[in-house]
Structure formats: C-alpha cells, structure tokens
Amino acid sequence: MEGKQQQLPPPPGSGAPGAAGEERRPEEGKDAAGGGALGRPLGATPSQSRFQVDLVAEGAGRPAEEPRKASGEGSAAGKGSEEAKGRFRVNFVDPAAGDESPGEPGGGSSEGGNVSFQNGGDTVLSEGSLHSGGHHHYYYDTHTNTYYLRTFGHNTMDAVPRIDHYRHTAADLGEKLLRPSLAELHDELDKEPFEDGYANGEEGTPAGEAAATYTPDSKGVVKFGWIKGVLVRCMLNIWGVMLFIRLSWIVGQAGIGLSVLVIGMATVVTTITGLSTSAIATNGFVRGGGAYYLISRSLGPEFGGAIGLIFAFANAVAVAMYVVGFAETVVELLKENGTLMIDEMNDIRIIGAITVVILLGISVAGMEWEAKAQIVLLVILILAIGDFVIGTFIPLDSKKPKGFFGYKAQIFMENFGPDFRHEETFFSVFAIFFPAATGILAGANISGDLADPQSAIPKGTLLAILITTLVYIGIAVSVGSCVVRDATGNLNNTIVTELTNCTTAACKLNYDFSSCQTRCQYGLMNNFQVMSMVSGFAPLISAGIFSATLSSALASLVSAPKIFQALCKDNIYPGFQMFAKGYGKNNEPLRGYLLTFLIALGFILIAELNVIAPIISNFFLASYALINFSVFHASLAKSPGWRPAFKYYNMWISLVGAILCCIVMFVINWWAALLTYVIVLGLYIYVTYKKPDVNWGSSTQALTYLNALQHSIRLSGVEDHVKNFRPQCLIMTGAPNARPALLHLVHAFTKNVGLMICGHVHMGPRRQAMKELSTDLAKYQRWLIKNKMKAFYAPVHAEDLRDGGQYLMQAAGLGRMRPNTLVVGFKKNWRQGDMRDVETYINLFHDAFDIQYGVVVIRLKEGLDISHLQGQELLSSQEKSPCTKDVIVKVDYSKKAETDTSIAFAPSSSERTHTLHKEEDEDGKTPTQPLLKKDSKSPSSPLNLADQRLLDASTQFQKKQGKSNIDVWWLFDDGGLTLLIPYLLTTKKKWKDCKIRVFIGGKINRIDHDRRAMATLLSKFRIDFSDIMVLGDINTKPKKENIAAFEEMIEPFRLHEDDKEQEVADKMKEDEPWRITDNELELYKTKTYRQIRLNELLKEHSSTANIIVMSLPVARKGAVSSALYMAWLEALSKDLPPILLVRGNHQSVLTFYS
C-alpha cells in the first residue's frame, strides 16, 4: 500500500515540501499524523478538528452551495470580499495537517465528480479552499482545511471513514481526530453555530489546544518485531535450566513414554493459554502491561488489579530464582576446582548479588541493549543444544562406565517404562517439570515495546511453544535412548565372561552395574550433569546453563517493572502511583526496575528457593487460568466488541484450559495453590471495594447486561401476583441532589425491594435542554451510585411539568419493571406562586390515577428543596444572565436556583463552575458525598435559621431513627399501600426500632369491635403493630379559629360568582379554572371540615411520631378545583412531623393467602 501512494507536488508557498510523506510508519499504511504543522497556510488559526464558518460574498463567483466544477475557478468565490455578508462557508479544519496529500494545481482530477482514493480509501482528494489574506489556492485532503468534500459530488461537511477518528485521546500511533458531531451536521445554522468553537476560528477550542500540544514523538523509540520481541524472548524463557539439569532425571524416573506425556500435558496447558492470549491480543490495540493489560481490559479492573500485582511480584521473585540457579551452577564449578570463597551458601549469595546488579545495568541501559543481550544468550543456548545432539552420536569408551553407550534399542526399551524411586510419582515429576513450560507470556509482557503486538504476540508465542516442545521431546527421547539409569563410573565393571541371566541393557552391552543399584553416582537417576557428560564439549553445556538462567532472569527483570508500571498508570492501587513514571524515549520504568532489583536481591539473600518456586509457578498459573477464563467469559457475554482477528480459539477449550490451570496448581503444590487463591481473592475484594474510576468495556459489563436483558424478558412473561407486589416508585425529584430528604425516604422503602426512578423534567428552550439531558443523565446517575442510591435517573424534556410527568409515567421502566406509584414532594409555596403551576401540579395527581398509579405526597414542614443552598455564590451572576433560563422542574419549582443557565455555545458553557457540578466531578474518597459543599474559595455567608433547619431536615432520614413511632392513619382502604409502605420501612436497619401505631375511623359505640376487627386483619397480614386507635370523633366540627384560618387561606382563590354578573363569572372561571366557586365550597363543606378536623387529631395524637403515613384524600376530576384540593392538603398536613399522604390504586397489594 505504501508503494502505491502517489507523491503529488506540494502547493506553492506551503513552506514544507513533503512534510506529509517523509516519515511514515509501515505498520500504519498511512502517513504519520505528526509533522505536518508547517504545511499549513497562513491565515486564521483554525480550531482543531472542528469547523470554521466564514462569510462568503454573495456576488463573487457563484453561490457557495452550488456543486463546483473540477477546474480551479470554483475556489475563487469571494476572493476579494471575504467580509461581505451573505452565506456561511463552512471549513472543516483538522489538526492532522501531516496527512495532507497536496492536490494538483487547478483543483485535483479533471474528471468532474470523480473521486481519487489513496491508501485504500483512507485519504480522499478534495478541492482546495480559499483562505482570507492569501492569493494562493491550497489543495488538501478531506481532513484538512477544506471547504467541502468532492467525495460524493456535492458539498458536505461529513467526514469519510478514517482510522484517526477511532483513536483514544493520547494514541501512540497518531493524534485523535474528531469527526463532526451530529449537532454540527444537524442543528440549524445561527450566529454562533458550534458549541465547542469560536466563530470563524479565531481561537482553538480547549480540546483542540490539548490535541495540538500532544504530538507523538516517534523518533528514537525502539519497537521490536515478532522474532526479536516475542519468539526469542519466549524461547529463552521456556528453555530454562530444566533443559540441561533436570530433564535427564525426569526421563530416568518417568521413562521415555511418560516423560513425553508430561511434556505433552504441560504443552496442552500452555498451548491453550497461547491461543487465548492470541485471541485477546488481537481483539484491539494492545498497550504495555502484558498479562495484566490483557486480563484487566477483558475481565475488568478487579481481576486485572489482583493478577497484575501478583504477576509483577512473581516475575520479580522469578529473577531471584533464575539468578540463584545460575549461582548454584557457578558454585558447583568452583567446588569441583576447590576454589570456594567462603562456603557454598554465602558464595551463592555473593555471586547472585553481583549477577543481579549486572543484569539491572543491562536492563536500565534500555530495551535495545537488553534485546541484543537476549540474542547473544539465545545463540549460546542453541549451540549448547547442538553440542549435546552431536555428542549423542559420538559414544566414547571413556564414557561407557558412566552409562553412556550411544543410541541403542535395548536402552530405549529399558528406559521407555517408568521406574519411580525415592517416593516420586507421576504428578510429583510433572510438578517439577511444569515450571519449565512457563514463560509463554514473556513476549506479551512487553506488548508496549512491540511494533505490532496484534500480529507479533500470536505468531511469536505459538511458534515458541512449538519449537521448545519439539526440542524438549527430542532431548528426552535421545537422552533416554543413550544413557542407562544407573552406572558406577568404574572401568573395572566391564563383563569379561558371558553372564547367563543378563536382564539389564548395560549387562547386554557388557557392563555390570548391579553392584551399585541403589547408590550409583552416574546414570540418568543419579547424575544431574548427564547432558554435560554426553555432550561433545562439556564447557559449552555449562555456558548453555548460564545462558538459560541469565536470559530467563533478564526477561523477568524487564517484564516485572513493565507490568507494574502499567498497573500503576491505571491507578488501581493509589499508593503505588509513584511507580507509574517513565523515563526517556521508551518511557522506561526506572523506579520499577529499582523495586524489582530490591525484591530480587532480598530473595537471593534468602537463597532458599525450594519454598518460593512452587508459589511462583502458582502465581504464573493463576494468570494463565484467568487469561483462558477471559476468552471464555468474553465469548459467553456475546459482546459485539469481542471480535478477535485471531480465529483459532474456542470458548469451551479456553474454559477447559482455565480448569486445567487450576488443577495443575494443586498438583504442583496444594498449599501454594490455596495461598494463591487467598491472595487473588483478597486483592479482588480490595479492588472491588475501592471501585477504581475506570471503564474499559470489560466482558463482566457485557455479561451483566446480557443477564439483565434475559431476566427482564423472562420476567415479562410472568403475570403480576399480589404476593409479589412491590412499590415501584417514580419520584419527581428534579435534580436528585436537590431534594435529599425525598430521595432518602423513598429509598428507605424501595432499596432492594422495588424500582426507584428519579424523574426530572427539563423545560425551556428545547435545544439547550437536549444538550443538558445527555450530560445530566451521566452526571446524576453517577451521583446516585456514588451516594449508594439504588435508583435510576430519567430526565425528559417537556413544555410543562404535567406533560413531562405524563411522558415519564407512560414510558419509564422496562417490561415488568415499571413504576406503579408516583411520589411527589408537597408544593410548599403554592400560595405565593403562579396558580397555573398549582393547576399543573394537581393535574399530575389526576393523570397518575388515570394511568392506575398510586400517589404518595411527602411533606416536611421545613420544606424539601435545598438547591438554593448549593452554590449560593453563583446565584447573583446567574440571575443577571440575559439568556433564557432552563427551568429544571422540581416539585417546589418556583426557586430557580437549580437552573443550569449558560449562554448557548458561549465559551462559558465549558467553564461552568457550579458547585453542584464540581461535586459531581470530584472523586471523593468518602463513600457518600456531602449534599452541600462549602466552597473554601468563596466567603460563605452564615445560613439563616430557616435555611439551617431546612438543611438539617434534609438529612434526617439518613440517620438511625431510634425508638419512636410510625403512625399509620389508614382511614380509607386503598388496597393496602398505606399499610405496606410503613411495614417496608420497619424492615430496614435504620427504622427497625420504630413501632407501627394504626389509627382508623369508627363509630363511638363500636370502638372495641372495630379495634378487634383491625387487629385480626393486621395479624392475618402478619404485620406487627404496637397499638390500634379507633377515632370516633372524626366527624366532630373543627374549632372555629381553624375554620376561620382555612377561609382566610382560600379567600384569594375564590371566584365569588354570586357577587358578579353571570357572564363575568363564567369568563373568569374559564380563564382561571383553579378558582373556587361558592357552589363547590358549599357542596364539599363536610369534606373540608374533615381535613381541618383530621389535622387537629393529628396534632393531638401524632405530634411526637417520627413519621406519619396517612390516606390521601381524593378529589373528583372536573368537580373540585385545584385551589380547593391544594387547600385541603395544606390544611390536613400543616405543622406536623414528616407526613406521607398515600393513596394506592385500589387494587390489593396485601394478601393473607399463602
């Protein structure tokens, strides 16, 4: 593709010929995103990745909207009169000027509407645009300062598909470009058309400036291909010291057949893991962090964080393990030559410490040096293996007494079966061999340093597994065919006379080793240095051992800091943040290197690695198990985002691989396996508890969604049953944090019981509201979760509260999870506000009853709305702003302090600093955010007494309620909702000490009878109560002063039609339907007196209750005016403890049948 790209001559005066094409990445197949800034013409600085709107002259040339011809004349429109008012010219401006493919002078191709695609459609030639202040014609590709596209033969701002639109913000391979938003394509053009930009591109947008400052510095960064980066590393890590020292012993114990089975079993586990790693690594761009990155992005931060920490630690300790293996070999050589420094143990410590310092030096010198060292070590390792193979074909007589006879069928037959000694078993031998097969993630661990991890990891890892397995099997078979199990090393054991009862292979080859059958020094069983003995040149095998140990140590020393750095960058464990810092062009984690060095040095000084080795193997296996499980989980979740380029995987095989890994953990060492499980579980619980603020689109999310969807659909097929009735509440909260008391009280009886939806009706200009709907949805849902509210936030835009309420009641919820109860706060200031608002408010109740909803009205005497106490310092500036207000509707919605006012599209919209908003964005460490934040910068004026009381009342339901009463005034049978809500309250921890007292109406002469009847009913419902009171005096006439107060309250809202002419009265009633007529007042006099009387009784009996739950009076639609109904509610509930006026939908919600 690179070769096909035509190089077009640069535009005159561009100042940077070839700026676009000089530095390219072969793996991208496109021009580098950086480096083209010089190629931009002078003129207005364009806002990054956005559009400019320039005025185009009316009369110069032809109208801007007309499709241009192919010749250059089209770009002359408006050359001389840019300032002339008229049409808008929209320029799509893009930061990636480096991607420009300058067109030919004259407007590109000469075939009218034809399109010239380059790079397989990545870049499209388009017509040049004119810039004010210059007389040159500039020709750019689609994504630079173009006026429009010729791609589809007409003018459009739409961008063609392109890789840069899909990048993350700080992508390694180039800048993220922003495609035009839907609003930019769809909204009406007006004076300030785009929310992010300044008109005519006078300044870059904040987002654009950020993008401009980030240019990836690709020069000098070392990136490896699949051979050097993955294959070499994996082979070196898999071929450990086992190959030379333990493999011959394994063959002696298990025999050739079972040895091949042991190698095969280990390979099955590693191959399945390799396939799973390949699948995850090819499902999207892989950054640094290896196993941690793969697991965390697939299963989420909980598993990723747990594995990342233990995997990094395992690699750090593995450095110590390999270095001690190297030091032991050196000390063996010193011992043979009698040149020990102090004693064996201390010599191992000294040599190990010196070695690890040298390895640290190589690592810190940079990845390039480390890669060169790895290749040198690989060459030595391959020479050592070759040396052994050659040696097997040269049987020397001097080696025969030590058990080496060359390839013999008798030896092969004898060694084919097992001969376990010293309490060894098949599984113990497997446990000793398995660590030799690990190391398959060595390439994936440095994924950030690979040029193309998606292709390199599968190729390198799987090929490394294949090659190393074949070599292991080859060596096992050859050593088993050449060397007998036991030999004396004594030349005198040669058989001179023919023995009659020859059974062993050695005997048939004229050697009698029977004298030392149990205590021989040589042979497969007894001598770990068999490979040195067999080889053509023994020192080369020692060099191979050094190479194998040092290369594995080096790979682990590089892997551990890289994984740890990736873990720290994600800030899953905040305490480790300091290790995230990288140095130099390759972002080397020098602090991580130092930490790894100290851990390794500590374990080297312990020098007892037989205890550590099984734990390390188990740590590696735990990460293999989770990589396999990740693939199974992602496939099970059926997420559309799971589409690996590597197709040779199967979810069930991956699951088998995960189970096998867990089994192998126990086979290797049961207590180490248990310890690993405990550590992983502990870290998992810690990360889950801390809830890191990350979202990686893990398969856990996808599976949660799938389960929720399937269960919702299953639930829809089940008819509702009274036993399973739950109050599912739609609460008209406005912004959820504006009415905390309302929210907490309803949450108290819906938490873990029923659905709770916070309805928020946005009113005002539609365009402004639509923008705020989407931002509020994310913001307030996050706020609810952070404050541990099990609720959903549902904003809608409507003309008024009633329409919004209707939309919510009809459309909120899903399937059977739909609200059945409307909860509103009492409209406290109804007498001071606009009565049309009261009409709207009361109509909400009527609508709810029409849709068969229950209704709950909650009243606190102090009020519910605390939005005016949040961000007081901004009130004055907001009230003065000239723009239309977006009234965020609340129940008490005359206070407009909550309104998010911002001039549409002005810069201030991105700089809003409402305290409320700040609170949402701050990630506090406390699990619950305070509802009112004192801003330390602003001089906070002390709250007046009423506001202080309101604030105290707003938090009263968050506290434990103590031993007091919940008074239930169940006057009318509404199906039982009035009784169910208080019962549900008492089941919660904060309310469990409260006792339910039930008040009912009755006749004076039947009080005992009524009490017994109610007691029987409650006991059948299995609802505990402390007392039942029958009120025989409900219908007594209320006190005169209370009647007078009521009449005084309703006076301003009366129609007084008897004092007016009929026509005037009718006209007034039509214009103001909420007014109370004399006829209506007379008709409902008894009901009015009952509300006043009930208030007297409430004050008498329930003034000390924690909360009162009472039947809500119902007003007949069209007969009772809004003002009268509101006056009833006012009279009924004034000057009382918190009161819930409840009315169910008159269908049973309680039953005594089982």
Side-chain angles (χ1 to χ4, degrees), residues 789-845:
M789 292 283 160
K790 296 189 176 178
F792 297 96
Y793 172 71
V796 292
H797 172 260
E799 291 302 314
D800 62 21
L801 178 65
R802 185 181 185 183
D803 284 352
Q806 284 179 343
Y807 300 160
L808 285 165
M809 285 187 276
Q810 290 174 68
L814 187 71
R816 292 262 171 249
M817 291 191 296
R818 303 179 76 88
N820 53 28
T821 307
L822 176 73
V823 182
V824 293
F826 181 76
K827 190 167 178 55
K828 188 181 171 206
N829 63 338
W830 65 278
R831 281 178 289 173
Q832 290 80 43
D834 187 338
M835 283 308 288
R836 279 172 300 194
D837 295 344
V838 175
E839 181 82 3
T840 304
Y841 176 74
I842 297 300
N843 280 333
L844 258 184
F845 297 8

Side-chain angles (χ1 to χ4, degrees), residues 482-535:
C482 297
V483 186
V484 293
R485 281 193 167 108
D486 300 289
T488 56
N490 190 347
L491 272 171
N492 300 334
N493 288 131
T494 313
I495 300 170
V496 182
T497 57
E498 190 73 29
L499 284 178
T500 52
N501 59 344
C502 243
T503 53
T504 63
C507 171
K508 289 172 185 167
L509 295 165
N510 299 329
Y511 274 83
D512 178 18
F513 296 138
S514 56
S515 60
C516 74
Q517 197 75 37
T518 51
R519 292 185 306 283
C520 294
Q521 282 185 300
Y522 294 96
L524 294 175
M525 287 292 210
N526 313 300
N527 182 12
F528 287 150
Q529 304 293 338
V530 164
M531 287 185 74
S532 299
M533 185 261 290
V534 172
S535 67

